Amino acid sequence: MALSVETESHIYRALRTASGAAAHLVALGFTIFVTVLAKPGSSLFSWHPVLMSLAFSFLMTEALLMFSPESSLLRSLSRKVRARCHWVLQLLALLCALLGLGLVILHKEQLGKAHLATRHGQAGLLAVLWAGLQCSGGVGLLYPKLLPRWPLAKLKLYHATSGLVGYLLGSASLLLGMYSSWFTGTVTGGAWYLALLCPVLTSLVIMNQVSNAYLYRKRIQP
């Protein structure tokens, strides 16, 4: 028996709401897991995984879900307020990422180790640089008069697309970090595979939510 269009729409929205809720929980749970694992303060390096997971798993996930019509924790607020919250979360994520990058560079200097010698380090640096450019581009959306020759709709599309790429870079860096000697020496067996699934799950949800949030905005705007 075929479902009506209205029923299919309700099911689709329910699935998107459930996947968004899962992304919130997984992003938070993964960050807490890494924090407990790293024991921040036990060493200089211990702050690196904490700050990077906080930046690329929790803060960026929350920032990108801010505009989801089903999954935003602040969807009852105006779009302008959510845009400000999004920018604040992204800025906090960038600051955490920069601090995490700086600390691991200092740690490697103390040990006399080479920098950017692994795919994890290279992906991490690229993700941090991309996040910096993304935050700079967000200023143009907060203050569109700074870019009068650019149509606002196109700026939003470019910013959303670039933000998704940056998020995937951050997730790739987290994934590669799970192959590091520190992580594999601490987490083994089923726990390692579960941890590996966390950035994969949130990335899939974010890709779906971001693309649909843009389509939803186009549909409701005149």
Side-chain angles (χ1 to χ4, degrees), residues 124-208:
L125 176 62
L126 183 58
V128 173
L129 293 175
W130 198 286
L133 291 173
Q134 184 68 10
C135 283
S136 300
V139 175
L141 291 177
L142 282 176
Y143 306 101
K145 290 182 179 180
L146 295 175
L147 300 169
R149 296 185 179 181
W150 287 81
L152 187 58
K154 282 191 176 182
L155 283 176
K156 289 181 178 180
L157 175 61
Y158 297 153
H159 184 69
T161 305
S162 175
L164 182 56
V165 172
Y167 183 84
L168 294 177
L169 282 173
S171 296
S173 176
L174 293 177
L175 281 170
L176 291 170
M178 292 181 215
Y179 289 91
S180 67
S181 56
W182 171 77
F183 197 86
T184 55
T186 311
V187 182
T188 58
W192 185 85
Y193 289 100
L194 286 175
L196 197 71
L197 284 175
C198 290
V200 174
L201 173 63
T202 55
S203 294
L204 291 173
V205 172
I206 289 296
M207 283 191 288
N208 177 270

Side-chain angles (χ1 to χ4, degrees), residues 48-215:
H48 171 70
V50 174
L51 289 167
M52 289 308 198
S53 60
L54 181 61
F56 292 114
S57 178
F58 181 66
L59 290 171
M60 280 197 179
T61 299
E62 294 304 319
L64 292 177
L65 288 177
M66 190 65 64
F67 297 113
S68 171
E70 293 90 9
S71 305
S72 174
L73 297 177
L74 302 177
R75 56 183 174 273
S76 61
L77 301 179
S78 68
R79 178 172 176 78
K80 183 177 180 180
V81 172
R82 283 183 288 134
R84 297 283 179 175
C85 292
H86 167 82
W87 198 82
V88 169
L89 288 171
Q90 285 289 92
L91 184 59
L92 288 173
L94 176 60
L95 292 175
C96 287
L98 286 171
L99 184 56
L101 178 64
L103 289 174
V104 78
I105 288 174
L106 181 59
H107 172 71
K108 284 182 176 290
E109 283 290 331
Q110 290 179 345
L111 297 179
K113 290 185 176 182
H115 299 291
L116 304 177
T118 64
R119 297 295 184 191
H120 166 61
Q122 294 160 8
L125 176 62
L126 183 58
V128 173
L129 293 175
W130 198 286
L133 291 173
Q134 184 68 10
C135 283
S136 300
V139 175
L141 291 177
L142 282 176
Y143 306 101
K145 290 182 179 180
L146 295 175
L147 300 169
R149 296 185 179 181
W150 287 81
L152 187 58
K154 282 191 176 182
L155 283 176
K156 289 181 178 180
L157 175 61
Y158 297 153
H159 184 69
T161 305
S162 175
L164 182 56
V165 172
Y167 183 84
L168 294 177
L169 282 173
S171 296
S173 176
L174 293 177
L175 281 170
L176 291 170
M178 292 181 215
Y179 289 91
S180 67
S181 56
W182 171 77
F183 197 86
T184 55
T186 311
V187 182
T188 58
W192 185 85
Y193 289 100
L194 286 175
L196 197 71
L197 284 175
C198 290
V200 174
L201 173 63
T202 55
S203 294
L204 291 173
V205 172
I206 289 296
M207 283 191 288
N208 177 270
Q209 300 270 347
V210 169
S211 59
N212 280 277
Y214 177 74
L215 293 174

